[in-house]
Amino acid sequence: MRELVGRETRLDEKRMFGGLAFMVGGNMAVVVRGKGGLMVRVDPAESEALQARPGVEAMVMRGREMAGWLVVEPARLARDADLKQWVDRGCAYARTLPTK
């Protein structure tokens, strides 16, 4: 994971949500979940279409669906190319947000 996000400028790494969050410009981009898999930040307008993919669902926190956040199950990240695609997607969206 660090190799994939390492090329990002303004990158921070913090323990949160029982996992390890990678932030770009102070905005969370992707979280390696302690339970396995990833939480990935995406454009909320793309969430529904991305959830149609197998092994991808909306992030639910305290019973509430979190707009713009997806959970990708570990089986969908087994290939390096698949992991890279999700990490790139999360980082690309985080770069569009105002720096914190």
Side-chain angles (χ1 to χ4, degrees), residues 24-80:
V24 176
N27 295 291
M28 278 194 288
V30 63
V31 179
V32 179
R33 301 177 73 212
K35 303 179 203 180
L38 294 179
M39 281 176 39
V40 181
R41 190 165 201 174
V42 298
D43 183 337
E46 296 177 352
S47 288
E48 191 174 326
L50 292 169
Q51 287 176 56
R53 295 180 179 191
V56 179
E57 58 187 42
M59 175 63 193
V60 177
M61 191 173 272
R62 295 186 180 121
R64 192 174 130 220
E65 190 173 303
M66 304 300 294
W69 281 97
L70 301 175
V71 174
V72 182
E73 69 181 35
R76 298 295 165 194
L77 304 167
R79 293 180 337 144
D80 289 346

Side-chain angles (χ1 to χ4, degrees), residues 2 5-7 11 14 16 19 21-22 27 33 35-36 45 59-60 70-71 74-75 77 93 98-99:
R2 286 186 180 107
V5 296
R7 66 188 178 280
L11 179 70
K14 291 186 182 178
M16 31 178 40
F22 293 89
N27 295 291
R33 301 177 73 212
K35 303 179 203 180
M59 175 63 193
V60 177
L70 301 175
V71 174
L77 304 167
Y93 184 68
T99 300

Side-chain angles (χ1 to χ4, degrees), residues 1 4-8 10-11 22-25 27-30 40-42 84-97:
M1 178 59 88
L4 293 174
V5 296
R7 66 188 178 280
E8 289 292 333
R10 305 174 303 143
L11 179 70
F22 293 89
M23 297 180 289
V24 176
N27 295 291
M28 278 194 288
V30 63
V40 181
R41 190 165 201 174
V42 298
K84 182 180 182 323
Q85 173 193 351
W86 285 108
V87 170
D88 288 350
R89 182 181 296 275
C91 290
Y93 184 68
R95 282 193 303 271
T96 70
L97 301 171

